[in-house]
Amino acid sequence: MASFGWKRKIGEKVSKATSQQFEAEAADDKDQSDGDDANWVHATKRRKEVLAEDCVKRSKQLKDEGASLAENRRYREAIHKWDEALQLTPEDATLYEMKSQVLMSLHEMFPAVHAAEMAVQRNPRSWDAWQTLGRAQLGLGEIALAIRSFQVSLHIFPMNPEVWKEDLSWARKLHEQQKATKTEAVQALTKEKELAQASVPDYDFESDEIVAVCAAIAEKEKALSAAKTVVIVSASGTVETVTEENCPTTPDETLFIRAR
């Protein structure tokens, strides 16, 4: 019988030198591949940086163009420029703040408030944005909210005389006038209610005085009714004077003329 031994492994016949050479070539390929990946990542990152720089540069150019248009009262064109800039740099709070100012000049208060709120959200530390928000809120009649916005602006920049002397002072004056107007309206309404209640006296319709007045009116009506007469002229020429109570309701053929 034939004897069986261990099967030789597949790689057993590969020489040690060949194996070492193969491993060295594989390591070189890996290093080269890693180097290519690193170069690709670096190139992609650099490309993004260049693109961001181009966006910022183009956005600044559009911002300046819009500001120049706004100074010449070409407000719609300025808004168009700033909207293009916001597509490139949507986190630029200054663009929203400038847009809010122009919208107020166009008397579009709701969009102006929205743009100012966007500016505050992107840069809560901007006293300009809070000041513009307060002015837009005043345009909507939201005086209490405007006062708060001006106070925040002063908290950020306490030495700003414009906000202190003009915006906040004016807003507080309007708030006092609003309170006075509401107080006068409430007082006028209260007075009207009191007058309405006083004009309707509470009569006792079962009192002796009321009964006596009703009886006197009834007697007067009875006397007036008795005094009413009717002149009847018959066909034969006879003239007869009777009261309306005794007058027949339906004239017969003997009646010719009926006159008072």
Side-chain angles (χ1 to χ4, degrees):
M1 294 180 64
S3 61
F4 294 92
W6 292 103
K7 290 184 179 180
R8 293 183 177 181
K9 296 179 180 180
I10 296 176
E12 189 176 353
K13 294 183 179 180
V14 181
S15 63
K16 186 176 182 180
T18 304
S19 177
Q20 292 176 347
Q21 182 181 359
F22 176 77
E23 291 175 355
E25 290 177 354
D28 292 340
D29 292 341
K30 182 178 180 181
D31 292 339
Q32 184 177 1
S33 176
D34 291 341
D36 292 341
D37 291 342
N39 292 334
W40 180 82
V41 171
H42 178 72
T44 303
K45 184 178 180 180
R46 179 56 185 165
R47 191 177 299 110
K48 289 182 178 179
E49 290 176 353
V50 171
L51 182 61
E53 291 174 359
D54 291 342
C55 288
V56 172
K57 184 178 179 180
R58 176 57 180 164
S59 176
K60 185 178 183 305
Q61 181 182 354
L62 291 169
K63 182 194 295 185
D64 294 339
E65 291 176 2
S68 178
L69 291 168
E71 290 177 358
N72 294 321
R73 299 181 181 275
R74 297 165 64 180
Y75 298 133
R76 295 293 181 188
E77 297 177 54
I79 291 174
H80 180 70
K81 291 291 183 181
W82 292 332
D83 284 340
E84 289 185 16
L86 284 170
Q87 295 295 324
L88 301 173
T89 54
E91 298 302 317
D92 191 342
T94 308
L95 288 169
Y96 284 106
E97 190 269 333
M98 296 167 67
K99 183 177 177 181
S100 178
Q101 291 188 51
V102 169
L103 288 169
M104 281 189 283
S105 298
L106 294 171
H107 304 288
E108 297 181 9
M109 294 305 172
F110 281 104
V113 170
H114 176 70
E117 288 175 345
M118 296 292 286
V120 168
Q121 289 176 8
R122 275 141 180 83
N123 187 7
R125 301 295 301 171
S126 172
W127 66 267
D128 287 325
W130 283 105
Q131 180 188 27
T132 301
L133 177 59
R135 290 178 175 179
Q137 289 168 337
L138 271 185
L140 282 182
E142 298 291 344
I143 301 175
L145 293 178
I147 291 175
R148 178 185 177 277
S149 297
F150 292 141
Q151 290 173 340
V152 174
S153 180
L154 279 174
H155 179 75
I156 298 171
F157 184 23
M159 302 305 294
N160 187 348
E162 184 181 14
V163 177
W164 181 261
K165 295 181 180 180
E166 297 181 13
D167 295 317
L168 186 57
S169 176
W170 173 245
R172 285 176 172 172
K173 183 178 180 181
L174 290 177
H175 191 242
E176 292 298 326
Q177 291 178 355
Q178 187 183 54
K179 289 170 59 177
T181 302
K182 288 183 178 179
T183 302
E184 291 177 359
V186 171
Q187 291 177 350
L189 183 60
T190 303
K191 187 175 181 180
E192 288 180 1
K193 289 182 178 179
E194 291 176 353
L195 290 174
Q197 293 175 356
S199 62
V200 182
D202 187 12
Y203 288 113
D204 183 7
F205 292 98
E206 295 182 357
S207 64
D208 296 337
E209 291 82 0
I210 298 298
V211 172
V213 170
C214 293
I217 294 174
E219 290 295 330
K220 185 177 180 181
E221 289 291 334
K222 184 177 180 181
L224 290 175
S225 177
K228 293 179 180 179
T229 58
V230 176
V231 178
I232 299 176
V233 181
S234 64
S236 61
T238 303
V239 178
E240 183 180 1
T241 302
V242 297
T243 61
E244 285 191 348
E245 293 179 355
N246 298 326
C247 180
T249 56
T250 304
D252 54 17
E253 66 275 2
T254 61
L255 296 180
F256 181 68
I257 298 174
R258 179 179 177 180
R260 294 185 183 275

